[in-house]
């Protein structure tokens, strides 16, 4: 009954305002752009977009029913809901029933988990499959049976096809888990051979993709600030509530620190299961930051989040009852408050009003500079004039659909296609001379590579010498430029 209630809570938190925010310009429309193609064409395009391909495969039959934001995000939402009873199962298997319930309750209201459950990308899949891999591995190690090992391999493969870094997050803890069973490591290693065979197509496509371009070109090197941002994202999602984040981190640190101190003093035992959870929660982030930098962004080790929550629940389970109850109530309140704030106040990008403004400003034949080219699919999602003639969304780097008329793609240095931006004075003067009007759309650019694009030299010159109308939405900068002099 308690698990069913938590599952209903998770359903409520993940479907409320599921279509509240516009599609994210740099990510979500790619899932739709892939799923729109004929099935074999979609498989071929995975050589450009290998990472996270499972989401588009699941989405492929759904987009023939509807292309609404709610439909595009439905697979992620369902995965987010299923993660809650899955974490209860994992907690009951690795620790006990109470720890599983506490962890599931924390996951049900986690702003990070809710955010990724409302994003048309595969990160909610990663959370779900990461959780399921542990009880399935325990079942296989305890009871054997080909079907149990097959289920474990299938879930691990699904995690990897949802995000290529998922196995790096999970394997260290699973190795430690296997050490606790007779011949466990040997049997587990045999299953990894089957997993490697299952992942051979993914590895091939990742190599092909890497030969074409660096998909992680936009990531900076890890710094204390960027690591801090990743911690904030794991704690409170994208609510931007730093004091709440500090409170959540403080409560978790206090609870886990208390248990560590008790173990050190010999008052508590540290069974292997707690070590497994600690490795699951902490080691992957350390590896990704210290060894495989710059892959330090929270989406790449989002599979650690259930481990963090389960580790907290296991520590609470060992505390004195009153202290544990107080810490749990405070933590649950902070997480729920951040989730409500995020769901009702925070948006990713406001493309709906941005597209309405562009439609109002742009006349037939007016050129449009798009910096960066990766956001072109979201223009097509909200305005059919930016789609291909057959109705598909256009992705510039794939090169399989004609560019919309008058659209000039720009990009970051080392990016996915288009002229390296931002646009120069000469380009703006040529396109906005006299009574001709130029529309400039800036979104998803990488400031570390291009600088302060909205205040770049070309646009500063245009504001001095031309007639410029500016509109700013959340993370989107729009300019209508006309009346520029002949010589910049």
């Amino acid at each position: 009954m308690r698990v069913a209630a938590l599952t209903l809570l998770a359903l409520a938190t993940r479907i409320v305002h599921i279509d509240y925010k516009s599609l994210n310009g740099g990510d979500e429309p790619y899932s739709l752009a892939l799923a729109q193609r004929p099935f074999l064409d979609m498989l071929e395009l995975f050589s450009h977009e290998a990472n996270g391909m499972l989401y588009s495969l699941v989405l492929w039959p759904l987009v023939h029913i509807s292309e609404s934001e709610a439909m595009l995000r439905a697979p992620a939402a369902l995965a987010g809901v299923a993660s809650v009873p899955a974490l209860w199962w994992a907690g009951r298997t690795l620790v006990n029933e109470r720890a599983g319930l506490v962890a599931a309750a924390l996951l049900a209201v986690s702003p990070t988990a809710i955010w990724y459950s409302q994003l048309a990308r595969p990160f909610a899949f990663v959370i779900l499959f990461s959780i399921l891999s542990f009880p399935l591995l325990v079942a296989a190690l305890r009871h054997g049976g080909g079907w149990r090992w097959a289920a474990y391999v299938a879930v691990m493969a699904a995690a990897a096809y949802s995000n290529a870094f998922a196995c790096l997050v999970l394997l260290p803890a699973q190795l430690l888990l296997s050490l606790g069973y007779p011949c466990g490591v040997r049997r587990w290693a045999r299953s990894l051979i089957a997993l490697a065979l299952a992942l051979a197509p993914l590895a091939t496509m990742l190599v092909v993709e890497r030969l074409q371009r660096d998909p992680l070109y936009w990531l900076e090197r890890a710094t204390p600030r960027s690591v801090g941002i990743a911690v904030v994202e794991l704690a409170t999602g994208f609510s931007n509530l730093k004091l709440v984040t500090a409170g959540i981190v403080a409560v978790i640190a206090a609870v886990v620190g208390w248990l560590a101190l008790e173990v050190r003093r010999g008052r508590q035992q540290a069974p292997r299961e707690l070590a497994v959870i600690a490795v699951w929660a902490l080691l992957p982030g350390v590896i990704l930051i210290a060894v495989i930098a710059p892959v330090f962004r929270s989406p790449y080790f989002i599979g650690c989040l259930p481990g963090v929550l389960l580790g907290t629940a296991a520590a609470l389970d060992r505390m004195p009852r009153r202290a544990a109850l107080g810490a749990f109530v405070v933590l649950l309140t902070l997480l729920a408050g951040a989730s409500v704030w995020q769901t009702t106040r925070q948006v990713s990008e406001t493309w709906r009003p941005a597209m309405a403004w562009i439609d109002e400003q742009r006349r037939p034949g007016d050129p449009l500079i798009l910096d960066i080219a990766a956001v072109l699919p979201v223009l097509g999602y909200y305005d059919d004039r930016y789609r291909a003639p057959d109705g598909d969304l256009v992705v510039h780097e794939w090169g399989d659909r004609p560019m919309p008329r008058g659209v000039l793609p720009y990009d970051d240095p080392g990016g996915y296609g288009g002229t390296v931006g931002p646009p120069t004075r000469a380009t703006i003067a040529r396109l906005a001379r006299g009574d001709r009007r130029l529309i400039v759309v800036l979104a998803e650019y990488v400031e570390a590579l291009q600088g302060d694009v909205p205040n770049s030299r070309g646009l500063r010159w245009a504001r001095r010498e031309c007639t410029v109308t500016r509109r700013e939405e959340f993370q989107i900068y729009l300019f209508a430029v006309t009346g520029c002099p002949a010589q910049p």
Side-chain angles (χ1 to χ4, degrees):
M1 183 67 70
R2 294 175 182 176
V3 179
L6 289 176
T7 303
L8 289 175
L9 175 62
L11 177 63
T13 57
R14 281 146 180 82
I15 64 172
V16 64
H17 293 305
I18 193 172
D19 59 350
Y20 172 68
K21 53 184 177 287
S22 304
L23 291 187
N24 175 277
D27 289 316
E28 290 184 284
Y30 273 56
S31 299
L32 173 59
L34 283 163
Q36 280 183 329
R37 303 296 200 267
F39 192 77
L40 293 179
D41 290 351
M42 177 178 62
L43 296 181
E44 182 180 352
L45 287 171
F46 285 149
S47 62
H48 293 274
E49 299 291 332
N51 198 18
M53 67 175 71
L54 184 60
Y55 199 89
S56 293
L57 287 169
V58 172
L59 199 60
W60 189 80
L62 300 181
V63 299
H64 295 86
I65 302 173
S66 171
E67 293 183 2
S68 67
E69 287 100 333
M71 181 63 80
L72 298 183
R73 293 170 176 145
L78 293 175
V81 173
S83 296
V84 171
L87 188 55
W88 164 77
W89 181 32
R92 191 174 78 161
T93 301
L94 294 175
V95 187
N96 58 39
E97 177 85 15
R98 184 164 56 183
L101 285 171
V102 170
L106 296 177
L107 185 64
V109 297
S110 164
T112 307
I114 292 172
W115 177 272
Y116 287 117
S117 298
Q118 294 187 327
L119 192 71
R121 296 294 283 171
F123 302 117
F125 285 8
V126 176
I127 294 175
L128 173 61
F129 297 133
S130 297
I131 295 169
L132 289 175
S133 65
F134 284 91
L136 286 173
L137 178 57
V138 170
L141 289 169
R142 286 179 180 173
H143 308 295
W147 69 270
R148 292 188 180 92
W149 284 109
Y152 164 72
V153 170
V155 164
M156 288 292 288
Y161 278 95
S162 299
N163 188 278
F165 293 98
C167 288
L168 293 175
V169 171
L170 302 174
L171 291 179
Q174 292 175 358
L175 171 61
L176 183 58
L177 181 61
S178 301
L179 289 171
Y181 294 85
C183 302
V185 173
R186 186 179 65 187
R187 291 185 291 157
W188 177 67
R190 284 203 299 264
S191 74
L192 295 186
I193 296 173
L195 178 62
L197 294 174
L199 299 184
L202 172 63
T204 302
M205 286 183 281
L206 287 171
V207 170
V208 172
E209 180 183 6
R210 184 62 181 86
L211 291 174
Q212 297 181 85
R213 48 122 168 135
D214 178 10
L216 301 179
Y217 81 92
W218 50 275
L219 282 173
E220 306 171 50
R221 288 286 170 183
T223 63
R225 178 179 177 273
S226 60
V227 173
I229 291 173
V231 171
V232 171
E233 290 176 357
L234 285 174
T236 54
F238 294 85
S239 60
N240 294 326
L241 299 175
K242 294 181 180 179
L243 289 178
V244 176
T245 298
I248 291 171
V249 172
V251 172
I252 293 176
V255 170
V256 175
W258 174 86
L259 178 58
L261 186 61
E262 290 290 289
V263 170
R264 184 175 181 180
R265 291 174 175 174
R267 298 174 182 172
Q268 295 272 357
Q269 293 183 344
R272 184 181 301 275
E273 288 76 10
L274 290 183
V276 168
I277 296 170
V279 171
W280 178 13
L282 299 175
L283 185 60
V286 174
I287 292 174
L288 290 174
I289 292 170
V291 180
I292 317 178
V295 188
F296 59 88
R297 292 287 301 276
S298 63
Y300 295 102
F301 48 91
I302 192 64
C304 294
L305 177 63
V308 173
L309 299 180
L310 183 55
T312 304
L316 287 169
D317 183 61
R318 289 168 169 261
M319 290 182 71
R321 186 168 184 177
R322 289 186 178 180
L325 181 60
F328 172 68
V329 170
V330 170
L331 189 56
L332 196 69
T333 301
L334 291 173
L335 289 170
S339 296
V340 171
W341 178 273
Q342 173 183 270
T343 303
T344 57
R345 303 289 185 89
Q346 184 67 33
V347 295
S348 178
E349 294 167 6
T350 48
W351 279 102
R352 291 191 193 100
M355 292 305 301
W357 186 88
I358 293 172
D359 183 55
E360 176 186 319
Q361 295 290 327
R362 192 183 183 202
R363 302 167 303 192
D366 285 345
L368 182 145
I369 285 179
L370 187 61
D371 190 351
I372 63 172
V375 301
L376 176 58
V378 78
L379 270 67
Y381 182 79
Y382 290 107
D383 191 329
D384 290 344
R385 290 175 297 178
Y386 298 94
R387 294 194 178 209
D390 60 2
D392 287 345
L393 299 184
V394 178
V395 179
H396 178 258
E397 63 175 301
W398 297 349
D400 68 331
R401 296 291 189 274
M403 287 289 292
R405 186 174 181 181
V407 174
L408 307 175
Y410 278 69
D411 213 336
D412 306 312
Y416 301 155
T419 304
V420 173
T424 64
R425 290 186 299 177
T427 299
I428 293 174
R430 175 174 57 84
L431 296 174
R433 189 176 304 161
D435 62 350
R436 289 185 292 181
R437 180 177 298 174
L438 166 67
I439 307 298
V440 182
V441 181
L442 307 177
E444 300 279 344
Y445 61 87
V446 181
E447 187 170 340
L449 298 175
Q450 287 184 248
D452 185 6
V453 177
N455 296 301
S456 58
R457 289 183 179 181
L459 288 170
R460 288 203 309 270
W461 172 85
R463 286 197 291 269
R464 290 195 309 268
E465 304 294 336
C466 315
T467 300
V468 177
T469 302
R470 172 172 170 153
R471 170 75 174 264
E472 182 176 338
E473 296 292 338
F474 189 78
Q475 297 182 347
I476 307 169
Y477 302 90
L478 307 166
F479 302 86
V481 186
T482 190
C484 291
Q487 295 297 326

